[in-house]
Amino acid sequence: MWFFKPAWQSNDPKKALHAVDKENNQAKLAIIAQKALFPHVRLQAITKLTEQAALLSIARNDPADGVRTAAILKLTDQTVLADIAQNNPDYFARQCATKKLTNTDILKSIFENDSATRVRIAAMNQLNDSSLYAHCAKNDSDRYVRIAALHHVNDESFLAELITNTKDYELCIAAWERLRRLCVPIDSAVQEKIKQLNAEKCKREGHVWLYT
C-alpha cells in the first residue's frame, strides 16, 4: 500500500520549501516548523507561524540554534520571554529574549546577574536610564559593557572627563566617537589626550589609529 507523503517532507529541499511557501494554515505550519527535515524549511515555516505554543516548543526543543532563535524572536508573551531570558542555558537564546523584554525590574536583574557580556548589554540597551549608562561607562567591571554604555551617554562634560582621565584606549576612543556624533566642539585637553594615546598605541603596535 502506498502512503501519501506531504511535499514539505520531501528529501528535495526546494520542493519542501515550495510547499511551505504555499501553506497558510497555522496548524499545518506548526507541524512543519517542528518536524520538517531541513532546518531552513523549518525556518521558512516559522516566518509564517504565529501560534505561540508551537513557537515556544520550537524555541525550547529544536536542535538547530538558528531555528530556536527565530522562534524566540516571534514570541510575544512577556512571561515566557522572561523565563527564557533568565533561565535558558544558551546565552544567545537569553540575549534574543532579553531584547524583547519590557519589564524594567527583570531587565535590571538580568543586567546585574547574567554571566554573559552580550546578554548584559542587551538588557542595558533596553533600559532607558541615563544614570545607569553613566555609572556603567565609568565603573562596570566589563570593558565591553562600559563601551556599550557610552553609546547612550549624551553628557558632553562626562565624556570629555572620561577621555581625559581614562587609560583604556578603546574606552577613550568610544567616548571620542560619541562626542563626535553629538557634534560638539572638542576641548583642547581632550584632543591632546587622544594624540597621547595615539602615540602610545603607535609605539606599541607600529601604526597610528587616526582619531585626531
Side-chain angles (χ1 to χ4, degrees), residues 93-140:
R94 298 198 307 276
Q95 179 185 6
C96 291
T98 298
K99 288 180 178 180
K100 299 196 69 178
L101 286 178
T102 58
N103 185 292
T104 301
D105 291 335
I106 293 175
L107 286 166
K108 286 182 178 178
S109 176
I110 292 169
F111 175 72
E112 292 169 357
N113 298 309
D114 201 281
S115 60
T117 296
R118 292 184 180 184
V119 179
R120 296 188 65 222
I121 290 174
M124 181 182 69
N125 288 341
Q126 292 290 94
L127 293 165
N128 185 22
D129 188 337
S130 57
S131 61
L132 172 67
Y133 298 142
H135 175 79
C136 291
K138 208 168 189 178
N139 302 305
D140 200 272

Side-chain angles (χ1 to χ4, degrees), residues 4-202:
F4 172 73
K5 182 179 181 179
W8 61 266
Q9 288 184 327
S10 172
N11 291 328
D12 180 346
K14 290 184 179 179
K15 184 176 180 181
L17 276 175
H18 184 62
V20 175
D21 288 338
K22 294 193 299 181
E23 186 60 68
N24 291 309
N25 182 282
Q26 284 292 304
K28 291 182 179 178
L29 285 168
I31 294 172
I32 297 170
Q34 295 176 85
K35 297 186 176 182
L37 176 63
F38 301 104
H40 62 285
V41 174
R42 300 198 299 276
L43 275 171
Q44 184 65 10
I46 288 171
T47 64
K48 303 176 74 174
L49 183 63
T50 58
E51 209 279 311
Q52 293 292 297
L55 288 167
L56 177 57
S57 177
I58 296 165
R60 287 176 170 168
N61 301 312
D62 197 279
D65 292 346
V67 177
R68 293 196 305 273
T69 299
I72 291 170
L73 292 175
K74 295 205 70 177
L75 291 170
T76 58
D77 188 312
Q78 286 288 305
T79 301
V80 170
L81 288 166
D83 179 61
I84 295 172
Q86 294 176 100
N87 300 311
N88 197 290
D90 181 354
Y91 87 86
F92 191 61
R94 298 198 307 276
Q95 179 185 6
C96 291
T98 298
K99 288 180 178 180
K100 299 196 69 178
L101 286 178
T102 58
N103 185 292
T104 301
D105 291 335
I106 293 175
L107 286 166
K108 286 182 178 178
S109 176
I110 292 169
F111 175 72
E112 292 169 357
N113 298 309
D114 201 281
S115 60
T117 296
R118 292 184 180 184
V119 179
R120 296 188 65 222
I121 290 174
M124 181 182 69
N125 288 341
Q126 292 290 94
L127 293 165
N128 185 22
D129 188 337
S130 57
S131 61
L132 172 67
Y133 298 142
H135 175 79
C136 291
K138 208 168 189 178
N139 302 305
D140 200 272
S141 59
D142 188 324
R143 73 193 304 246
Y144 295 106
V145 172
R146 296 200 302 274
I147 291 171
L150 282 172
H151 296 158
H152 300 279
V153 175
N154 296 316
D155 188 325
E156 300 161 19
S157 60
F158 175 89
L159 293 166
E161 181 185 356
L162 187 65
I163 292 171
T164 304
N165 295 324
T166 186
K167 295 181 180 180
D168 186 319
Y169 181 81
E170 300 298 336
L171 188 67
C172 183
I173 293 305
W176 168 258
E177 289 178 336
R178 184 60 181 164
L179 272 178
R180 293 178 69 177
R181 289 194 186 98
L182 293 173
C183 299
V184 298
I186 306 299
D187 183 85
S188 59
V190 171
Q191 295 187 39
E192 285 302 314
K193 180 61 179 290
I194 294 293
K195 289 179 180 178
Q196 174 194 337
L197 290 175
N198 272 336
E200 292 173 358
K201 187 173 181 68
C202 179

